[in-house]
Amino acid sequence: MIDGEFNRKGELVFDMGLIAADRTHCPVRVILDTGFNEWLLINNKDAENLEWLRQPDTRKARTAGGTVILNRYEGIVLLDEEEWIVPVLGGDEIKDILLGVRWLRYKRLVADFAAGLLTLG
């Protein structure tokens, strides 16, 4: 189980690791976005720096800024001391790394804003 925190905007923030192709571990802060139905969203430059395998197809997605084309990658992440190989979406304008609700199929989310309690595991 990993502890998280609520940021000033009330977003659910967790620490996780991104694992590069050379097995280098990169710790990052991510936001769990319950409106995002995939596994992980990241900036293309970050995915390329990690040398994650880019898939040949792209995906259209509607965002608050309009429709965007997202690249697809195969990424390796470390969450709750477990290594996962997951499909990752990447875009040029992505500022924050987002975890999607697919994680909730495998990880239990406990969020009690009033008590300041936030865990995923």
Side-chain angles (χ1 to χ4, degrees):
M1 178 178 339
I2 59 173
D3 292 322
E5 64 184 47
F6 299 96
N7 67 14
R8 282 185 263 144
K9 295 180 187 176
E11 296 168 323
L12 296 86
V13 180
F14 295 95
D15 292 320
M16 72 180 295
L18 306 179
I19 300 174
D22 67 1
R23 304 300 297 165
T24 303
H25 179 261
C26 178
V28 294
R29 309 260 308 156
V30 299
I31 298 171
L32 179 65
D33 183 346
T34 58
F36 176 53
N37 294 323
E38 299 297 328
W39 291 94
L40 190 70
L41 180 66
I42 192 169
N43 187 284
N44 281 324
K45 288 192 189 293
D46 292 333
E48 291 164 8
N49 288 339
L50 292 162
E51 297 182 356
W52 283 352
L53 181 62
R54 185 171 168 182
Q55 304 298 312
D57 56 327
T58 58
R59 180 166 179 192
K60 278 187 185 181
R62 292 179 74 182
T63 68
T67 301
V68 296
I69 303 294
L70 299 173
N71 293 318
R72 291 177 19 99
Y73 299 91
E74 181 179 279
I76 306 170
V77 300
L78 188 64
L79 184 66
D80 195 18
E81 299 183 25
E82 275 185 86
E83 196 171 294
W84 299 72
I85 298 173
V86 295
V88 177
L89 296 176
D92 290 333
E93 303 298 321
I94 306 303
K95 292 177 179 47
D96 296 309
I97 300 173
L98 301 181
L99 288 179
V101 294
R102 288 201 185 216
W103 288 102
L104 301 182
R105 294 180 183 182
Y106 303 95
K107 299 289 181 182
R108 182 173 182 247
L109 175 66
V110 176
D112 185 337
F113 193 85
L117 175 67
L118 179 62
T119 60
L120 185 64

